[in-house]
Amino acid sequence: MSLVTLLPFIVLIGAMFLMTRSAKKKQQQAAQMRDSMQPGTGVRTIGGMYATVKELHDDTVLLEVAPGVHAIYAKNAIGAVLDDDEYNRIVHGDAQVADEETPVVPDDASSLTGSDDSAASDAPKIDLGKKPESEETGSTDAADEPKDGKGDSDK
């Protein structure tokens, strides 16, 4: 056998090794993250629910999902362990930086146009409604002809 025939197999084995290595790294990081949990820590489950850790057991964790509401979850169901600032910002809506100014959003779009109310009221109103047939302009001959292009004489 030549090296050229073995090259695809060598590349395939190398790619499989790299993929399993990165997956193993991710699993180790997730296990380390779950081991860093302590009672009082804010967490996000893999389902997207935010809760506070109350008790830790071997394979399970007791979470407080609301004041006085507790649920038991598998440790593998914890998607992220959050630091206190991030947890409070997400769950309680606490501002991260008090000095940061939030933009003021108007209740309506009239303040965004930049024109006075008096100038806007003087402008003529545009009628977007459909006009009755008697007011429409144009030739009456075109309106009387059928859409197939045949007149009365062509029938």
Side-chain angles (χ1 to χ4, degrees):
M1 288 189 150
S2 69
L3 185 62
V4 176
T5 57
L6 291 177
L7 189 62
F9 294 112
I10 294 171
V11 170
L12 182 65
I13 291 171
M16 289 175 52
F17 172 74
L18 291 175
M19 285 190 294
T20 57
R21 183 175 168 208
S22 66
K24 193 177 275 191
K25 258 185 170 178
K26 286 181 184 179
Q27 287 177 349
Q28 288 175 347
Q29 287 175 345
Q32 183 180 16
M33 180 243 341
R34 289 184 188 108
D35 290 338
S36 70
M37 285 189 300
Q38 297 175 356
T41 306
V43 295
R44 183 184 68 233
T45 65
I46 58 175
M49 183 178 64
Y50 293 90
T52 305
V53 176
K54 286 297 175 185
E55 295 178 10
L56 290 168
H57 302 285
D58 292 335
D59 294 331
T60 60
V61 62
L62 180 69
L63 299 178
E64 185 176 30
V65 295
V69 179
H70 296 87
I72 298 174
Y73 277 80
K75 277 189 178 179
N76 291 338
I78 304 301
V81 177
L82 307 171
D83 59 352
D84 290 336
D85 292 337
E86 183 178 8
Y87 180 77
N88 288 331
R89 181 180 55 81
I90 293 170
V91 175
H92 302 297
D94 294 344
Q96 198 169 13
V97 179
D99 297 336
E100 183 179 325
E101 292 184 24
T102 57
V104 177
V105 180
D107 290 338
D108 60 355
S110 63
S111 63
L112 300 175
T113 58
S115 62
D116 297 0
D117 289 336
S118 60
S121 63
D122 293 342
K125 301 288 184 189
I126 299 173
D127 183 22
L128 298 176
K130 187 174 181 181
K131 295 181 183 178
E133 288 184 27
S134 62
E135 293 182 14
E136 288 183 4
T137 59
S139 67
T140 56
D141 297 337
D144 292 340
E145 288 188 24
K147 294 195 187 241
D148 61 359
K150 297 180 181 177
D152 291 334
S153 61
D154 295 339
K155 291 183 183 177

